Amino acid sequence: MQNNKLLTMVDSFLTYLQNEKNCSQHTLSAYSNDILQFIFYLNKVELVYSFDDVDRYLFRRYLAHLQEMGKNRTTIARKLSSMRSFYKYLSKKAAIKSNPIELIASQKRKESLLKFLYYEDVLLLLNGPNINTALGIRDHAILEVLYGSGLRVSELVALDLEDVSLDLGIIRVIGKGNKERLAPLGQWAQISLQRFLDESRSSIKGANNTKALFINNKGTRLTDRGIRFILTKYVDLVANEARISPHVLRHSFATHLLEGGADLRTVQELLGHESMATTQIYTHVTKQRLKQIYNESHPRA
């Protein structure tokens, strides 16, 4: 009975995030997993069955438990952030008497530079697909759009045919929080997309039964996982990179823009970042790149 009450509170919180905060399904799933994992810990380890019976000492034990499980600092920081938001919601709804997480310091995340590819490696990757086959033409268009427009993978797989305007060189993108923006298509992305639409897409089985732009060999919309699978086919072409995620192309897009002289505000708009602080991480990347070039090139470095 107590557990049902806890789960009802979780459902109420997720509904709030969806309706009031316009959170994506991916974000809702992450919150749900984090909170349910905490409930499991409460019930099985602490033998606690009410959120109101949680104090700051219990939370510290939970954080220590996560460390013992081998979770890294980034994961622990995210889980604590999820619980902080959840308990803030419970406090706002007067579902708890006090909020113990207010007394817990945020976990410091280990600073790390974003991974990106040098332009030469991007070219190797883009030239990987066999454009003499229907799926190779599709893969080439996917890579060109990811790099040429700086899309998130979730944004790419959500694209419909009607979102693409090749004549204007733009695509309509639905980003985080269901926010819409127009992203530019570079000339190479336009060429590859045009070829995909003219020569490849219609030859894929079931293509006429879906409005999705990018489809798999069964004629259904490609998923995030499908894009990752496609990328792994070509990563061995890229020097010095054992693992490349699709997001690396987005990082490369932003880094190369800044290296080419684009201002930070423009890059923020192109990436669809709500906060400038999120975009500023790329300035650290470009500074490191400039330092590397200096060290490798200057005779007195």
Side-chain angles (χ1 to χ4, degrees):
M1 189 70 177
Q2 284 284 358
N3 240 13
N4 289 339
K5 186 176 180 181
L6 298 186
L7 295 177
T8 298
M9 292 180 181
V10 176
D11 288 340
S12 176
F13 175 60
L14 295 176
T15 300
Y16 162 76
L17 291 178
Q18 185 174 33
N19 295 339
E20 302 295 329
K21 298 295 184 179
N22 288 323
C23 288
S24 67
Q25 285 301 316
H26 177 78
T27 300
L28 293 175
S29 178
Y31 271 111
S32 177
N33 290 337
D34 290 343
I35 298 170
L36 291 177
Q37 183 178 357
F38 179 66
I39 291 175
F40 182 84
Y41 172 82
L42 289 183
N43 294 172
K44 300 299 181 182
V45 179
E46 298 285 348
L47 302 181
V48 168
Y49 303 94
S50 169
F51 291 128
D52 222 4
D53 292 335
V54 175
D55 58 25
R56 67 180 184 274
Y57 304 109
L58 188 153
F59 262 111
R60 286 172 179 163
R61 290 196 297 272
Y62 178 58
L63 296 178
H65 170 74
L66 292 175
Q67 288 180 324
E68 291 171 2
M69 290 175 63
K71 303 296 183 183
N72 60 40
R73 280 191 286 183
T74 299
T75 299
I76 294 174
R78 193 205 70 228
K79 290 181 181 297
L80 178 58
S81 177
S82 295
M83 296 309 305
R84 196 182 299 280
S85 297
F86 179 52
Y87 261 78
K88 185 177 180 180
Y89 169 80
L90 294 179
S91 182
K92 183 179 179 181
K93 293 294 183 181
I96 53 175
K97 296 175 184 176
S98 61
N99 185 354
I101 301 188
E102 290 180 335
L103 303 173
I104 303 293
S106 297
Q107 297 283 297
K108 290 186 177 180
R109 302 189 183 197
K110 186 178 180 180
E111 291 293 330
S112 60
L113 288 174
L114 296 173
K115 259 179 130 179
F116 72 97
L117 298 177
Y118 298 137
Y119 182 59
E120 296 80 6
D121 287 335
V122 172
L123 289 179
L124 289 173
L125 189 63
L126 295 177
N127 290 327
N130 180 3
I131 56 174
N132 292 316
T133 66
L135 293 181
I137 293 173
R138 178 205 64 184
D139 293 353
H140 184 250
I142 286 171
L143 296 177
E144 285 283 5
V145 173
L146 279 174
Y147 173 65
S149 299
L151 301 189
R152 302 178 178 93
V153 177
S154 58
E155 296 169 346
L156 180 90
V157 298
L159 289 175
D160 292 332
L161 290 168
E162 62 185 19
D163 295 326
V164 179
S165 177
L166 290 174
D167 292 339
L168 297 177
I170 57 174
I171 48 178
R172 174 178 167 270
V173 178
I174 304 299
K176 287 186 175 182
N178 287 324
K179 291 185 178 179
E180 179 181 323
R181 73 178 188 278
L182 295 178
L185 280 172
Q187 59 175 331
W188 293 104
Q190 290 181 58
I191 292 170
S192 63
L193 262 181
Q194 187 71 68
R195 183 171 185 181
F196 168 61
L197 294 173
D198 291 345
E199 303 177 25
S200 172
R201 189 180 182 280
S202 59
S203 67
I204 300 175
K205 183 180 178 181
N208 295 328
N209 299 324
T210 177
K211 63 181 181 178
L213 175 61
F214 291 116
I215 55 180
N216 57 30
N217 56 7
K218 296 179 181 178
T220 58
R221 187 185 297 274
L222 272 169
T223 62
D224 292 28
R225 186 175 181 181
I227 299 295
R228 291 178 185 278
F229 178 78
I230 289 170
L231 189 63
T232 58
K233 293 193 296 185
Y234 309 112
V235 295
D236 60 336
L237 301 172
V238 180
N240 302 321
E241 286 292 344
R243 293 184 62 190
I244 299 176
S245 74
H247 219 63
V248 169
L249 288 174
R250 177 171 162 87
H251 297 328
S252 303
F253 164 84
T255 303
H256 297 164
L257 278 173
L258 288 171
E259 287 182 344
D263 65 271
L264 200 60
R265 179 67 67 183
T266 299
V267 175
Q268 177 191 2
E269 292 293 327
L270 291 173
L271 290 172
H273 285 163
E274 185 173 339
S275 169
M276 176 68 79
T278 308
T279 315
Q280 284 176 332
I281 184 65
Y282 292 103
T283 63
H284 301 305
V285 176
T286 53
K287 286 175 183 176
Q288 286 290 325
R289 169 66 167 151
L290 290 173
K291 185 177 180 181
Q292 179 184 352
I293 293 173
Y294 170 79
N295 288 335
E296 293 176 354
S297 306
H298 197 282
R300 305 286 283 184

